[in-house]
Amino acid sequence: MYGYHNRFLYVDLTRQTWEVKSFSVEMLSQYIGGAGLGAKILFDSTDAATDPLGPDNLLCLMTGPITGTKITGTGRHSAVFKSPLTGGWGEASVGGTWGRELKKAGYDGVVMTGRAPKPCYLWLYDDRIEFRDAAAVWGKDTYETDELLRKETHSQAVVSCIGPTGEKLALIAGIFTDGIEGRTAARCGVGAVQGSKNLKAVVVRGTGMTPVFDAEGLDQSLKTFLPDFVGKTGGLKNFGTAGLVLGCEQTGDFPIKNWQLGKWEEGAAKISGPVMKETINKKNYYCAGCVVGCGRHVRVDEGPFAPVWGGGPEYESLGLIGGSCLIDNLEAIAKANELCNRYGLDSIEVGNGIAMAMEAYEKGLLSEEKAGCKLEWGNCEAAIAMLHQMGANTGFGAVLNQGLVRAAKEIGGDAEKFAIHVKGVSLPAHDPRAYTSIALGYATSPRGACHLQAFSHAYERALSAPDIGIEAPLERFTAVGKANMVMKLQNVMALFDSLCICKFDIFGNVGLTVLTNWYNLVTGVMVTPEEMYTAGERIFTLKRQYNIRCGMTASDDTLPERILREARGSGGAAENLPNLAAMLPEYYELRGWDQAGKPREELLERLDLL
């Protein structure tokens, strides 16, 4: 098969040894690459008894068959592991340039197990593989680590590393690439998994290229496709994901005061994409091979939060460190975002954690003495102070570092009622009360709350997908048709994560048919869209099977009571509550699962998962 080198680097960190493995054409066709192939590898190698922070857990860093080609949005790679935050399926996707560089070095993925006897990093330069001492960068933040390791290896190398919080096994730590641009594989505690292996970084430099079956045909496809694509994604180029802030606040999709309020017009206006563009944004950042450039490179040189430079806050940080904490100071949010990047923290978990702590402070469950600061709503300085605690793993920050579930138990009282999470993973900055399909997507997402496992709200707002039967956007407040829509989109989005292509491409009309065409042109396999769809269904189902193996049940397919029972009372989704109870049984039936949420034997047989 073209598209693959069919070289997967298996690394034993305990023994400091490695070997290169290949997979059959059948396995590559069934699981594609990225998160899909990672799911198969993880399923075959770990189980319920595997300690997520033990040496037997795997950390798989996987590219896809179209990584490193001319296809736009293919600078991504996926991290796959057993999650220490949930105890089940763990997955984190990241853009930037590291995935392309790994492919250029001649590898489709790196699968790591064991625990190094002392802090180390892995240096890959084409066929050269070295275990190197990381003593000089252990304890350093991600920006410093990137700079030092590129000096130590190659000026054009790409560094994928953890910060101090990953080293200290903070369960909300991520893995960061591309230095000060702060591209982040953040969710599910992936940074803690890497830290548990005494692995500071994987540094890569490659000089090869991805083999393409029909390069001329691919060029012609892109030449025809890209002009319209560029026009449709212009908003992302102009404002990045920060451009979503105003629209999401207006529709009731924006998190406000720890998911309590429905309206925050003046605050949202102060931290919006246009304001960022006019003030702190200095240039766009482009992931490898991307024509959109939705990343923001920001700079703050003066004022109480200076200096700030590098990757700017995305929509999620603006929503959760901003709206959910009632912080309307853009420079303060930019500083908080930079601290998340430097310390190596998931900004979604950070924003939700600080918002929960602010509510606990307001309700008298958390004292100033215990918090170490006055955690009042909108208090920029207190949020920054708490972030420094989290980065240093000291004080109450060391509690918040362990995620919402553990922090709420430590706070006590009613804190668990306002720990807004699914399966232990806190909600991203999209409210299911604004788009009903999100409720079902969050509840059934294998990695916990995730709007991107289905990306369904985009198809309640503006998009259609005729090639999977979504002829027009569905009305957002109804439960009718949402089970079918979410199921189909989850299967297609599983393909995006396995091909390792950016899901923002959906705004440029990239769907199942286009993905299948590009996959065929690159690999030469020549599958039908129906066969590709079945591969996505297989991948999603295998993730479900992994969670079942780890002890999760249908009772975990739920949402916080605040989301299910408390109307926001104002804004664009003032009174809507998602009817999850109506959608779940239909979803299970359409999926071929029983009402206990377990895939039936006939489904597993059809998908070759028995």
Side-chain angles (χ1 to χ4, degrees):
M1 294 173 70
Y2 290 78
Y4 305 90
H5 299 298
N6 206 358
R7 300 179 75 238
F8 295 84
L9 183 64
Y10 275 67
V11 176
D12 186 326
L13 290 162
T14 302
R15 296 178 177 84
Q16 305 278 277
T17 59
W18 56 269
E19 62 177 318
V20 176
K21 295 184 180 182
S22 299
F23 295 114
S24 67
V25 170
E26 180 184 21
M27 186 166 171
L28 294 176
S29 297
Q30 286 185 322
Y31 296 99
I32 310 297
L37 188 56
K40 177 62 173 171
I41 294 169
L42 190 73
F43 190 89
D44 289 347
S45 303
T46 63
D47 55 27
T50 303
D51 179 357
L53 296 179
D56 293 337
N57 195 10
L58 301 185
L59 176 59
C60 311
L61 304 179
M62 309 292 289
T63 71
I66 61 177
T67 303
T69 67
K70 295 179 181 179
I71 298 170
T72 186
T74 55
R76 305 191 69 81
H77 68 279
S78 290
V80 170
F81 49 96
K82 185 176 183 182
S83 169
L85 200 57
T86 71
W89 169 256
E91 174 183 353
S93 176
V94 56
T97 61
W98 190 91
R100 180 183 65 175
E101 203 67 24
L102 182 70
K103 202 73 173 283
K104 287 169 63 179
Y107 302 102
D108 298 288
V110 182
V111 179
M112 293 168 283
T113 188
R115 175 181 169 85
K118 62 180 181 179
C120 73
Y121 71 93
L122 194 63
W123 166 226
L124 311 177
Y125 190 170
D126 292 335
D127 289 332
R128 177 178 173 182
I129 302 170
E130 295 180 17
F131 297 91
R132 290 193 173 186
D133 191 335
V137 290
W138 199 254
K140 300 290 187 184
D141 71 35
T142 62
Y143 290 8
E144 296 170 309
T145 299
D146 178 86
E147 182 179 3
L148 290 169
L149 292 186
R150 283 190 295 108
K151 286 180 180 177
E152 202 170 285
T153 55
H154 193 289
S155 62
Q156 293 179 288
V158 184
V159 178
S160 174
C161 67
I162 56 173
T165 55
E167 298 170 8
K168 296 169 183 174
L169 308 187
L171 298 189
I172 63 169
I175 300 174
F176 289 70
T177 75
D178 291 70
I180 63 171
E181 300 302 340
R183 301 296 98 182
T184 314
R187 309 245 67 194
C188 302
V190 62
V193 174
Q194 182 162 319
S196 74
K197 298 186 176 303
N198 257 345
L199 180 67
K200 180 66 174 180
V202 181
V203 186
V204 182
R205 169 67 180 152
T207 58
M209 58 188 297
T210 299
V212 175
F213 173 73
D214 185 355
E216 184 177 344
L218 182 62
D219 285 347
Q220 184 58 46
S221 172
L222 293 173
K223 182 179 180 180
T224 302
F225 186 83
L226 282 178
D228 186 58
F229 177 91
V230 170
K232 285 183 165 63
T233 56
L236 282 168
K237 180 184 287 289
N238 287 335
F239 303 116
T241 59
L244 297 172
V245 169
L246 293 176
C248 288
E249 191 279 335
Q250 289 165 6
T251 58
D253 190 33
F254 197 66
I256 305 166
K257 199 179 182 184
N258 199 26
W259 305 91
Q260 295 181 83
L261 305 182
K263 198 172 184 178
W264 195 54
E265 290 178 294
E266 291 184 5
K270 292 179 181 178
I271 63 173
S272 65
V275 171
M276 184 184 294
K277 184 175 183 178
E278 293 169 6
T279 55
I280 65 174
N281 188 53
K282 301 305 174 185
K283 62 180 181 179
N284 288 24
Y285 171 80
Y286 292 78
C287 295
C290 182
V291 300
V292 177
C294 71
R296 306 291 96 176
H297 186 105
V298 303
R299 189 173 188 94
V300 178
D301 293 317
E302 299 177 346
F305 304 107
V308 177
W309 67 91
E314 302 285 349
Y315 169 77
E316 303 296 334
S317 298
L318 294 163
L320 293 162
I321 297 174
S324 201
C325 297
L326 296 185
I327 293 174
D328 62 4
N329 185 312
L330 184 57
E331 293 184 353
I333 297 171
K335 185 64 178 181
N337 184 75
E338 182 193 277
L339 291 174
C340 288
N341 291 348
R342 284 183 176 274
Y343 286 131
L345 290 166
D346 177 355
S347 67
I348 293 177
E349 295 286 352
V350 166
N352 276 300
I354 293 177
M356 180 187 71
M358 285 179 168
E359 186 169 349
Y361 184 88
E362 178 187 45
K363 293 180 175 176
L365 299 176
L366 182 62
S367 67
E368 180 181 349
E369 181 181 7
K370 186 170 183 178
C373 54
K374 291 184 177 181
L375 279 174
E376 299 162 325
W377 296 110
N379 188 333
C380 305
E381 291 76 13
I384 298 295
M386 183 54 65
L387 252 167
H388 281 302
Q389 286 187 41
M390 297 170 81
N393 203 42
T394 58
F396 191 70
V399 176
L400 286 183
N401 265 350
Q402 299 305 304
L404 292 185
V405 173
R406 294 163 182 83
K409 288 180 180 177
E410 174 70 20
I411 292 170
D414 289 334
E416 291 185 12
K417 294 181 180 180
F418 44 89
I420 309 303
H421 69 91
V422 175
K423 298 180 176 74
V425 173
S426 69
L427 268 61
H430 293 279
D431 197 313
R433 293 168 290 188
Y435 294 96
T436 298
S437 72
I438 298 178
L440 184 59
Y442 282 174
T444 59
S445 163
R447 73 172 184 175
C450 177
H451 61 298
L452 294 173
Q453 295 279 300
F455 219 151
S456 59
H457 58 290
Y459 299 84
E460 292 177 292
R461 186 172 67 235
L463 300 184
S464 62
D467 49 8
I468 57 172
I470 302 173
E471 301 293 340
L474 275 66
E475 200 281 315
R476 62 190 179 113
F477 291 148
T478 182
V480 176
K482 299 301 170 62
N484 184 55
M485 181 178 77
V486 168
M487 176 194 70
K488 288 181 174 180
L489 288 170
Q490 285 173 334
N491 293 341
V492 172
M493 293 305 151
L495 293 173
F496 274 81
D497 288 328
S498 301
L499 292 164
C500 294
I501 183 171
C502 182
K503 291 176 183 174
F504 286 167
D505 280 11
I506 66 172
F507 298 113
N509 284 347
V510 175
L512 177 63
T513 302
V514 174
L515 289 177
T516 302
N517 182 47
W518 286 345
Y519 174 75
N520 287 335
L521 289 169
V522 171
T523 65
V525 176
M526 302 307 162
V527 299
T528 65
E530 292 74 20
E531 289 171 320
M532 278 291 278
Y533 180 85
T534 297
E537 183 183 14
R538 177 182 299 113
I539 291 161
F540 189 88
T541 304
L542 185 62
K543 295 175 186 180
R544 179 71 176 192
Q545 285 291 87
Y546 189 80
N547 278 343
I548 290 171
R549 173 192 283 180
C550 293
M552 293 189 191
T553 67
S555 65
D556 295 297
D557 295 341
T558 189
L559 296 173
E561 286 295 300
R562 175 164 288 173
I563 303 298
L564 290 176
R565 305 282 179 254
E566 298 178 18
R568 303 178 81 175
S570 63
E575 302 302 327
N576 185 57
L577 293 173
N579 192 346
L580 182 61
M583 294 185 286
L584 266 178
E586 181 186 3
Y587 174 88
Y588 288 164
E589 188 62 33
L590 288 170
R591 274 248 172 244
W593 301 354
D594 63 26
Q595 288 306 300
K598 294 183 179 180
R600 294 189 175 102
E601 186 171 331
E602 54 266 33
L603 172 68
L604 299 177
E605 184 175 3
R606 177 172 67 81
L607 296 176
D608 197 23
L609 291 175
L610 282 178

